[in-house]
Amino acid sequence: MGAARAALARMDPRQADALVLRYGLDDQPARSYRQIGRDLGVSDHTARSLVERAQAQLRLLLT
């Protein structure tokens, strides 16, 4: 988990926040795109896009 946390720290903060919320990396339950959108002040669609871009970026950082 240390490598993932280090990678999250290197990412765009909004994308990192979206991943943390989506997968419950903050020791809270995983959130839906609607909940992420509300938390970040964006639409559901934008929340999904943030998560998808963050996943791609995380993959690159971890390989």
Side-chain angles (χ1 to χ4, degrees), residues 13-15 17-18 21 31-48 50:
R14 278 178 31 132
Q15 289 181 358
D17 288 345
L21 294 171
R31 275 80 149 202
S32 68
Y33 293 119
R34 177 169 288 163
Q35 291 169 317
I36 294 167
R38 267 191 261 132
D39 288 351
L40 298 181
V42 298
S43 70
D44 304 359
H45 177 75
T46 300
R48 177 179 284 236
L50 283 169

Side-chain angles (χ1 to χ4, degrees), residues 47-60:
R48 177 179 284 236
S49 294
L50 283 169
V51 170
E52 289 172 354
R53 286 193 307 262
Q55 288 170 329
Q57 181 68 26
L58 186 61
R59 276 188 217 100
L60 289 173

